[in-house]
Amino acid sequence: MLSKSGAIQPGSVIGIIGGGQLGRMTALAAAELGYRVHVFTPEQNSPTEQVSAHVTHGAYDDQDAIETFGRSVDVVTFEFENVPAQTVRHLADLAPVRPSWECLAICQDRVREKTFCNELGIETAPWKAVSSVEDLKAAIAEIGAPSILKTTQLGYDGKGQVRIHADTDPANAWQDLGGGSAILEGFVDFKLEISVITARRKGGAMASFDVVENRHKDGILDKTIAPANIPADLAAKATAIGQKMAQAMNLVGLLAVEMFVTQDGYGKAHLLVNEMAPRPHNSGHWTQDGCKTSQFEQFVRAVADLPLGTTERHSDTVMLNLLGSHAELWHQQLSDPENKLHLYGKAEPRQGRKMGHINRLYPKGSQPKG
């Protein structure tokens, strides 16, 4: 249902493709704004459906189920990228899709993603597309080692990657990756990793959250520190990059952009874009407790074409992911009254699986180190 302004009216149904924790927290934020959520997911008892009004279980390429779903909602979005772009393209004939399938197609393929950035004049690590062992040998000869061989699609949290060292046999590396379409990226000796999340409405209005620092363990985000302890001019540059990318894609929704902070030959801080995601992001979970508007509420506002909320940070925050069995220490975490606990409703605590997170607040300006 559209209002006279073109916004999706409260009481309407927001369709979310994907049933993970990002969809769950988006559904909770949508409910607070008066919307109902209909989730489409192949997973039974998914985190999102536990808090949603409706659920359709089906494969992402089940055209009949997708069409029925599309006709039952007022607007469609997605909570992760691993959805066939053609499925989302088909949905666009049935309901507004925000972000668009074109945005999804860019962000779910590393070659398209890197090309998009470079054509905007935004720097990335050196890279080469690879589709065979011979391509890999040529790419290694050009880019050198150490470097990282990645699948162009479906890789996340350190999956779908093979490290290339000076003594690595290219044939073995190609076999370990599983072949297919890939990309070789030059290794980046970075000082820290940062990210920025930008919301954009249909008419072009944008708002960005503070730039944060991300620290990883075993390829998975361990903690996010908000704000990042970097110079103000560098934070402004990172924000400008995120907004430039969102504008160039005509994105409606959220765009998270991860960047490396390096140093050029003169010791000056330098930014290289690593990855982007057109959805809420793990590095934005701190906003649930550290900002006046969370990334999930902002996502709903943008998708529904509502006025964007303030991104003002009222507290410095450290977000800590709870992986696998760490989530079973929930009672211990709650015993500290300063901790804000968020669990995702997942039944099986597998190793490395994101089961929840904790936000810990500090006085604004205290610059927590985590």
Side-chain angles (χ1 to χ4, degrees), residues 29-341:
E32 290 187 340
L33 289 172
Y35 297 100
R36 291 171 292 157
V37 163
H38 185 163
V39 56
F40 188 101
T41 176
E43 180 186 356
Q44 297 289 330
N45 192 32
S46 67
T48 305
E49 72 183 81
Q50 293 169 11
V51 298
S52 297
H54 310 284
V55 59
T56 294
H57 293 117
Y60 293 128
D61 59 357
D62 184 336
Q63 292 301 311
D64 290 339
I66 283 289
E67 184 158 334
T68 300
F69 167 75
R71 295 187 186 282
S72 72
V73 302
D74 297 291
V75 65
V76 176
T77 191
F78 41 87
E79 61 107 39
F80 79 140
E81 295 94 291
N82 295 339
V83 181
Q86 287 304 314
T87 294
V88 180
R89 185 175 187 176
H90 179 58
L91 278 169
D93 295 329
L94 307 172
V97 177
R98 300 170 178 166
S100 68
W101 71 268
E102 291 96 339
C103 293
L104 177 65
I106 293 172
C107 296
Q108 70 181 187
D109 183 281
R110 286 189 171 93
V111 170
R112 287 195 288 264
E113 184 179 79
K114 302 289 187 187
T115 301
F116 170 77
C117 289
N118 295 160
E119 288 180 347
L120 286 177
I122 296 171
E123 293 185 77
T124 63
W127 63 277
K128 283 290 181 182
V130 174
S131 58
S132 67
V133 174
E134 293 306 314
D135 284 349
L136 179 57
K137 291 178 180 178
I140 294 173
E142 181 173 341
I143 293 175
S147 49
I148 305 175
L149 180 65
K150 300 179 179 180
T151 56
T152 56
Q153 297 184 4
L154 301 180
Y156 62 97
D157 288 343
K159 300 175 183 177
Q161 301 184 11
V162 177
R163 290 283 184 127
I164 304 294
H165 302 283
D167 59 351
T168 298
D169 184 335
N172 290 340
W174 187 247
Q175 183 176 8
D176 290 343
L177 191 72
S181 178
I183 185 172
L184 184 72
E185 292 183 7
F187 182 77
V188 176
D189 184 16
F190 59 93
K191 293 180 59 180
L192 71 158
E193 181 188 292
I194 61 173
S195 61
V196 62
I197 295 175
T198 296
R200 184 178 182 276
R201 289 181 65 186
K202 183 179 178 182
M206 291 188 285
S208 299
F209 291 97
D210 284 347
V211 178
V212 298
E213 178 186 350
N214 300 317
R215 298 180 183 177
H216 294 75
K217 286 184 179 178
D218 300 322
I220 302 175
L221 182 64
D222 178 49
K223 67 179 62 173
T224 293
I225 301 170
N229 187 14
I230 58 175
D233 61 338
L234 191 64
K237 182 178 179 181
T239 299
I241 288 173
Q243 294 191 355
K244 183 177 184 179
M245 293 168 69
Q247 183 73 28
M249 281 194 290
N250 197 26
L251 176 133
V252 177
L254 285 189
L255 181 68
V257 183
E258 298 175 345
M259 307 176 203
F260 295 127
V261 178
T262 66
Q263 287 187 334
D264 62 18
Y266 300 95
K268 186 178 180 180
H270 204 62
L271 293 177
L272 299 176
V273 166
N274 180 31
E275 293 181 343
M276 58 181 175
R279 53 164 172 79
H281 194 259
N282 197 168
S283 68
H285 291 353
W286 69 276
T287 61
Q288 288 175 295
D289 301 297
C291 284
K292 291 185 176 181
T293 306
S294 76
Q295 68 162 339
F296 301 102
E297 178 184 339
Q298 197 78 303
F299 184 44
V300 174
R301 284 173 176 252
V303 167
D305 200 22
L306 304 179
L308 298 177
T310 175
T311 55
E312 181 182 348
R313 170 179 49 84
H314 58 70
S315 301
D316 290 357
T317 309
V318 173
M319 187 283 299
L320 178 67
N321 270 336
L322 297 176
L323 305 178
S325 60
H326 290 166
E328 296 175 355
L329 302 176
W330 61 268
H331 190 273
Q332 177 181 324
Q333 301 294 347
L334 283 178
S335 66
D336 186 337
E338 297 293 328
N339 286 343
K340 300 287 288 184
L341 177 66

